[in-house]
Amino acid sequence: MKSAVIVFPGSNCDRDVAVALEQVSGQKPTMVWHGDSALPEVDLVVLPGGFSFGDYLRSGAMAGRSPIMKDVVDRAHKGKPTLGICNGFQILTETGLLPGALMRNAGLKFVCRSVTLKVEHANSAFTNAYTNGDLIDIPVAHHDGNYFADADTLSALEDNGQVAFRYQDNPNGSLNDIAGIYNESRSVLGLMPHPERAIGDELGSSDGRKMFESLIANL
Amino acid sequence: MKAKVHVTLKNGVLDPQGKAIQHTLSSLGFDGVNGVRQGKFLELDLDETDAAKAEAALVEMCEKLLANTVIEDYDIELIS
């Protein structure tokens, strides 16, 4: 599996996700600077966590308009797999690749701890090493993870089975306890928790590893 | 030409920061504040001298970057 990780000014989980991808797939991802205009030919594009552009204006707002994003969006529209973690999820909603928005946590605090997620729909290239209903422990670390979408969008997400992960104990006020969603064709996944920080017991959990194993088996 | 842009959360979108501000105002003794909605204020300095063209450009700026229209409304005020 060939992958690319987009690096924005202020990304800080780009190397973590690169290590996770390399450990599980044996192939080093290509790191692509946000100012570049063309992506290499890859099977997976990852938008990593962090605080791109210092979260100025809105989390992910500037990054969503970076030069490389035109290619990222065009490629995603062709149904090619795209993964956004944390700030990457915020960027995906800012570009419209995923519906809704991530707002300030309802408790107003930055939340940095392990949370339990329920795998809601494991029928995607990102998740099919999991089973529906699995409970997994993955860390979150965010200030703006409060998922919001209007009522129609929310019911469409539920009806189409686009909710990938749900919090068991909602840390941020997200509607319907949403921690991660797919686009309609399940070729784009955005989630606030960090699977790349849970790829081995020495990190406290290896529950995130199956996401990378799913990707490698499918791509 | 200068422009002022206000970006505010849409009605119906929960504003926890506004709620916290309201709560603190009340604890400072400012009673009778029934609601606080917080937002952003941007001041833009434009080359454009034609008001209609400036307004059109500002709408595009708001739609493309300044506001996230999933959760926010914007209001444009031109000052010549």
Side-chain angles (χ1 to χ4, degrees):
Chain A
M1 180 186 72
K2 284 191 199 159
S3 58
V5 177
I6 314 295
V7 183
F8 300 94
S11 293
N12 68 4
C13 301
D14 45 331
R15 283 177 292 176
D16 301 47
V17 80
V19 168
L21 287 163
E22 191 182 350
Q23 269 201 15
V24 184
S25 74
Q27 272 182 285
K28 248 190 201 321
T30 309
M31 307 306 277
V32 179
W33 182 238
H34 79 109
D36 292 354
S37 53
L39 285 167
E41 208 36 64
V42 291
D43 305 306
L44 171 74
V45 166
V46 181
L47 303 172
F51 301 86
S52 55
F53 296 87
D55 281 349
Y56 291 173
L57 192 63
R58 295 178 305 278
S59 298
M62 311 296 184
R65 283 82 182 167
S66 271
I68 195 66
M69 288 309 293
K70 192 187 172 302
D71 222 23
V72 171
V73 171
D74 288 349
R75 183 185 164 283
H77 279 148
K78 290 178 192 149
K80 299 192 180 168
T82 309
L83 171 65
I85 300 169
C86 196
N87 191 216
F89 184 14
Q90 295 161 340
I91 296 167
L92 287 172
T93 60
E94 280 284 341
T95 59
L97 283 175
L98 290 175
L102 291 141
M103 303 183 50
R104 181 51 42 106
N105 291 346
L108 298 177
K109 289 206 170 84
F110 191 96
V111 181
C112 183
R113 60 178 162 86
S114 186
V115 298
T116 303
L117 305 175
K118 183 177 169 201
V119 180
E120 202 67 33
H121 292 285
N123 51 351
S124 79
F126 305 94
T127 50
N128 63 9
Y130 296 106
T131 306
N132 286 0
D134 276 357
L135 295 179
I136 58 175
D137 289 331
I138 309 272
V140 291
H142 60 248
H143 212 163
D144 297 315
N146 180 354
Y147 184 78
F148 175 88
D150 62 48
D152 290 347
T153 305
L154 211 54
S155 64
L157 284 174
E158 296 288 356
D159 293 348
N160 301 335
Q162 287 174 248
V163 177
F165 301 102
R166 246 189 262 275
Y167 300 112
Q168 288 298 99
D169 181 15
N170 192 336
N172 55 28
S174 288
L175 292 177
N176 294 20
D177 301 324
I178 284 173
I181 54 168
Y182 305 113
N183 65 345
E184 270 186 64
S185 62
R186 292 187 173 72
S187 58
V188 178
L189 169 67
L191 75 167
M192 289 312 295
H194 288 272
E196 81 281 14
R197 295 191 192 176
I199 56 158
D201 292 338
E202 68 276 23
L203 297 174
S205 167
S206 53
D207 289 352
R209 206 175 169 90
K210 279 191 183 168
M211 182 171 297
F212 301 98
E213 290 170 355
S214 304
L215 286 164
I216 281 132
N218 289 296
L219 305 180
Chain B
M1 180 170 282
K2 287 197 173 174
K4 294 179 175 182
V5 175
H6 284 95
V7 179
T8 48
L9 286 173
K10 285 183 174 172
N11 284 334
V13 175
L14 208 66
D15 178 8
Q17 295 179 89
K19 278 256 181 287
I21 294 164
Q22 182 185 354
H23 181 79
T24 302
L25 282 174
S26 146
S27 73
L28 287 172
F30 293 103
D31 294 327
V33 180
N34 294 318
V36 177
R37 305 282 286 168
Q38 69 116 51
K40 296 189 185 90
F41 169 65
L42 301 105
E43 204 169 52
L44 291 88
D45 193 352
L46 307 171
D47 281 340
E48 186 58 66
T49 50
D50 181 281
K53 281 185 191 162
E55 172 107 25
L58 285 159
V59 166
E60 212 182 331
M61 290 179 213
C62 285
E63 292 284 337
K64 283 194 173 164
L65 178 66
L66 302 181
N68 178 347
T69 54
V70 174
I71 47 171
E72 293 170 328
D73 286 328
Y74 56 86
D75 181 56
I76 295 164
E77 187 189 340
L78 283 174
I79 307 146
S80 39

